[in-house]
Structure formats: structure tokens, C-alpha cells
Amino acid sequence: MVKEIRLLTIMGFREASETWSSFDAVISIEDVERGSKLRLPEGSEDTDHLVLQFHDLDYDDGRTVVCTREHVQQALDFARKHEGGRLLLHCQAGKCRSPGIGLAIIADKLGQGREVEAVETLMHIREVAAVNLVVLQVADDVLGRGGRLVEAWMAREDGDERIARLRRIKQESWERFWAKGGQ
């Protein structure tokens, strides 16, 4: 494992809100309609902070804001800027969006041809991960991996009941959200 990658931490908001001050830089990923609820508290001006806003949906349903090339590129540029420093990534639960961005950062640092190692490194950093599939596909494209990053993740995910369970829970949550009229 590359030394700089060991300085990457991925967690949910609750954990992050208790430990953010021990990091040099933070990437917060939040839902668009929730505004600034997942951001660093006042008094954290010394910590460089990137906020990305997109929903945790594994496909583009045309009704939500999903991860874009710009989101992934911003995260990669931010991580490169802070290479060697302690970088914290978080979203609400730290299970899908932030691990997706984390995988992009790891794959970028490891370089071409090391996609399987990138996936295994991610799972070492954040064992509870069900990488957001839109983030994964966009990252694969931005990094020019020709589907290899997607393939490496899907090979890891295939047959993993824990990941399948997380995907079901997320899908059911979105179905309830839309049943309530998107409120």
C-alpha cells in the first residue's frame, strides 16, 4: 500500500464531526437539498474543505443530482493538492459516496493497471463500503481506465451479501422518498 493512501480516512458524518480537527483537509459529500448540514463547524477555517453535492443514487433517474465528471475531478485535484497530508472523506453514512470518491483517489495514486489493488486498499480503509455506482463509473471514465475500475469493484462486490444488503436498503429508502412525493 502506498504511504500517502494510508493517510486517507473515510467515515460517516457523525464520526467525522468528532474528529475533523485532526485532519489537514476534508471532503464533505452532501445531498443537494440538505444544504450545509454536513459541513465543518465554525472555527475550522484552518482546515481546507471541499464540499461536493450530489445524491446517493446508483443510477441517473433524471430527478436527482448524481455525481458528475466535475465532482470527481474536483475531488482528485483536491486530493493531489493535499498529497502527503491527512485527508478525511465523509458523506452521511460513509458507505457509498465517500468510498466511491475514495476509490477514485486511491486508483489515481496507484496508477493504471492497479485497479484490483485500489479496490482492496479501499476495503482495508473502509470495510463497510458499497461504492456508489455512478461515482464508480464516472471515476473510471475520468481516470481513463476503460472499465477496469468498474470491473475490479464488481468482482469484489459479486456475491458479497453485506454490499447487496446496503444496496437494498438504499434503494428502499429512495423508493420511500419518491412515494412521499420527493419530500
Side-chain angles (χ1 to χ4, degrees):
M1 191 173 1
V2 176
K3 181 179 181 184
E4 292 82 29
I5 293 173
R6 284 184 276 178
L7 299 176
L8 175 66
T9 302
I10 301 169
M11 57 181 59
F13 175 68
R14 184 172 300 173
E15 298 165 289
S17 67
E18 296 170 358
T19 62
W20 66 266
S21 62
S22 63
F23 293 89
D24 301 304
V26 177
I27 297 176
S28 298
I29 306 168
E30 60 190 21
D31 291 337
V32 176
E33 72 278 347
R34 291 192 181 168
S36 61
K37 292 183 179 180
L38 297 185
R39 298 187 188 177
L40 298 180
E42 287 187 32
S44 59
E45 293 80 19
D46 291 340
T47 303
D48 201 2
H49 190 204
L50 172 66
V51 177
L52 302 175
Q53 291 186 323
F54 57 89
H55 293 103
D56 187 15
L57 198 62
D58 286 322
Y59 55 91
D60 187 352
D61 69 353
R63 300 181 283 187
T64 58
V65 177
V66 295
C67 182
T68 65
R69 291 181 62 85
E70 182 178 274
H71 291 126
V72 171
Q73 192 61 60
Q74 286 178 320
L76 292 172
D77 292 344
F78 188 81
R80 290 171 187 150
K81 175 181 166 185
H82 295 285
E83 191 165 344
R86 290 185 38 110
L87 176 61
L88 168 64
L89 276 71
H90 80 87
C91 53
Q92 181 65 44
K95 296 179 182 176
C96 301
R97 290 175 290 181
S98 51
I101 293 294
L103 180 56
I105 292 167
I106 294 165
D108 183 50
K109 287 184 181 189
L110 290 177
Q112 297 273 348
R114 296 176 69 187
E115 292 77 19
V116 171
E117 184 180 350
V119 168
E120 293 309 315
T121 300
L122 170 70
M123 296 308 289
H124 177 74
I125 293 170
R126 187 68 172 166
E127 293 177 6
V128 182
V131 169
N132 178 289
L133 297 179
V134 175
V135 174
L136 176 63
Q137 292 165 349
V138 171
D140 188 282
D141 185 50
V142 168
L143 293 170
R145 300 303 169 92
R148 291 184 307 278
L149 190 58
V150 171
E151 288 173 16
W153 173 260
M154 296 312 291
R156 174 65 175 81
E157 180 173 331
D158 189 38
D160 188 322
E161 183 52 39
R162 184 175 56 180
I163 296 172
R165 181 177 169 274
L166 288 172
R167 292 223 187 276
R168 281 192 305 273
I169 290 168
K170 183 167 59 169
Q171 182 61 33
E172 290 166 1
S173 174
W174 276 106
E175 288 170 3
R176 285 190 304 276
F177 176 77
W178 291 123
K180 293 179 182 177
Q183 302 287 330

